[in-house]
Amino acid sequence: MNGIVSSRIVSWLISLLFFLSSLGGLSFVKDQPDPSLQAPAWSPWVHEHWVWENEGTQDTILSVVNDYESHGIPVGAIIIDNPWSTDIGTFIPDPDRYPDLAQHIEMYHDRGIRVMLWATCMVNEGTPTFEEGLEKGYFVAGGKTLKWWSGRGAFVDYTNPEAVEWFHRQMDIVLDMGIDGWKVDGADPYIVLLLPAYGKNSLHITWKQYRDLFYRDFFEYTREKLGNDRVISSRPVNDPALRIGLPLVFTDRDINFAGWVGDNDNDWGGLRHALNDMLASSRFNFVSYGSDIGGFRNPHKEKYKDVFIRWAQLGAFCPVMENGGNGEHMPWNYDEETTEIYRKFTHLHHELIPYIYSQAAYSFELVKPTMRPTAGTYQYLLGDDILVAPIFEPGEERTIVFPPGEWIYMFDQSQVYKAGVKKLTFELDEFPVFIKKGAIIPLDVTNDLNGNGSASSAGYTTVALYPQEGSKKFGLYEENKQGTMLAYEKGQNSLKISAGPGERAFLFCVRGEGSPALVSDQSGKPLPLLSSFEALTTAGKGYYTDGNQTWYATDQNSDGLLIDIRY
């Protein structure tokens, strides 16, 4: 018993040491936003659906991608996870697992799919890379090694410029293949166990100092080589496996635009653990992250269909939607119902990318989180106008605390709730998500799966409007250029919709209002009433009403656009 108690005390002390070493990452919210709508520091592909598998090969990951696409589920990026190299820190593709890695990366790019590779700060013993680094003094603490979860190795000394240049030459092996970034895993906390950790010129290194150098180097060197659409995926905030409630900050918010919150079990407890870490990350103002759908670990060797579905639905309403790990992660290996739900929510996530991308960019400027906790258990706002109340335990009931205002249920927009506490029921193919009355929600719609348009919507930016009296603005951010300001002004019997200068073609979908009596463009010319949605998308100018909502389109030009609606 004394041995058990002593072991627990040591574990607590180590975690406390990690926690104290992690402090310093907290940012404070600015009073005013920057309204310039400059291009964000990352690319929209970050918000697409990512998939990966644990301990795969180039053939198995290709099979996974093909299976998703054959089931009508889009794939925007893959992670080639550990092990993919001959050993940790060599960056040489394993000829048995990935004999044609460069060609496969090119093949994925031709299909519009980005490719990430797993990496960390360690170089494991027993390789020529390790021997060279040890001989030249390129490791922390003189090359002292320690056992970590993937072998025994030493830490690259990021305080030594020569060591960094040497490690870059190893990284270049796959950077020259044109990868899109790194899943940078968190071996760095182990550095506190060196006791002491010191770098070049005997300089003492804390975990915080080391992690800042390590993650930032992967981020900045990769962008220097390949461009600013490259990212790293790393932990924002993570409570370690001990789960003692000490959130550890791993990566600075200004370089982590594609984070995930570490390893979770594949049960309800794992889902709650992921939620704890995501909402803790929001306290440090991270803007773009998610979690492994279905959990990374599979300790019970079981499949939990309800957990998997609810986790997938949660993933659809996180800035990053990614799925991979141990156990069963393929929805079609559960049943057809699971596949249909997963397909529906993945497409919904892709539709929401213009909203998520813009709100994450806006949040980054204001130094605030994109996922903003509200009153109520595990509730948050995704950006300004979408309330998410994840289901985190068995059953279909959920108690929701609605903030001030009116909240429209996303999956049945006839249901509207006001501020207060409600216990509601959500069947397995629905999820507690609500849109604030007054919202402007830009969407990228390419099909009719979620009722936001059809295949003929492709090529347009669909903008769902839920007007309330007064005015509202939404900054629509764009990659590599200045964005566009969307706005409306609603009076008692009128609605004016506007967009700033830009190149996009817009479809405005006004919900919750009656059919218009007169519609005109910025020149005062009446817009024609068209007979169908397809006729409107073909014409690109006019309006169409189906009784529940009215769609509007007009030309975009260098001066912007205006649609004047009278009721």
Side-chain angles (χ1 to χ4, degrees), residues 463-480:
V463 183
L465 303 176
Y466 302 82
Q468 64 181 3
E469 200 154 320
S471 60
K472 173 83 171 183
K473 292 183 177 180
F474 185 98
L476 182 64
Y477 286 69
E478 307 226 34
E479 184 177 16
N480 297 326

Side-chain angles (χ1 to χ4, degrees), residues 373-384:
T374 69
T377 305
Y378 294 129
Q379 290 188 201
Y380 62 91
L381 285 172
L382 179 62
D384 290 335

Side-chain angles (χ1 to χ4, degrees), residues 351 353-355 358 440-445 452 456-464 474 476-478 484 486 503-509 551-553 561:
E351 288 183 359
I353 287 175
Y355 174 84
S358 297
I440 298 174
I441 309 290
L443 303 166
D444 181 14
V445 181
N452 293 315
S456 67
S457 303
Y460 290 90
T461 294
T462 298
V463 183
F474 185 98
L476 182 64
Y477 286 69
E478 307 226 34
T484 300
L486 306 175
E503 301 171 359
R504 290 177 181 254
F506 288 100
L507 280 174
F508 295 94
C509 179
W551 303 81
Y552 301 88
L561 65 81

Side-chain angles (χ1 to χ4, degrees), residues 227-273:
N228 288 341
D229 61 341
R230 268 52 174 187
V231 295
I232 63 170
S233 180
S234 57
R235 290 168 171 84
V237 172
N238 186 210
D239 180 12
L242 294 172
R243 303 184 189 183
I244 61 176
L246 296 178
L248 309 182
V249 178
F250 280 73
T251 320
D252 290 340
R253 72 183 293 273
D254 67 317
I255 60 171
N256 192 0
F257 306 121
W260 98 105
V261 292
D263 301 340
N264 312 114
D265 292 346
N266 66 325
D267 54 17
W268 288 110
L271 191 155
R272 290 190 291 271
H273 188 210

Side-chain angles (χ1 to χ4, degrees), residues 46-47 287-289 315 317-321 349 356 360 370-371 382:
V46 162
H47 304 296
V287 297
S288 185
Y289 50 84
F317 293 96
C318 294
V320 173
M321 183 181 188
H349 177 80
I356 292 171
T370 311
M371 297 172 66
L382 179 62

Side-chain angles (χ1 to χ4, degrees), residues 40-52:
W42 66 97
S43 174
W45 73 262
V46 162
H47 304 296
E48 295 180 6
H49 176 227
W50 299 15
V51 300
W52 60 283

Side-chain angles (χ1 to χ4, degrees), residues 50-54 68 292-296 322-326 329:
W50 299 15
V51 300
W52 60 283
E53 59 176 349
N54 204 39
Y68 272 104
D292 297 331
I293 290 169
F296 173 77
E322 57 94 354
N323 181 359
N326 290 303
H329 287 263

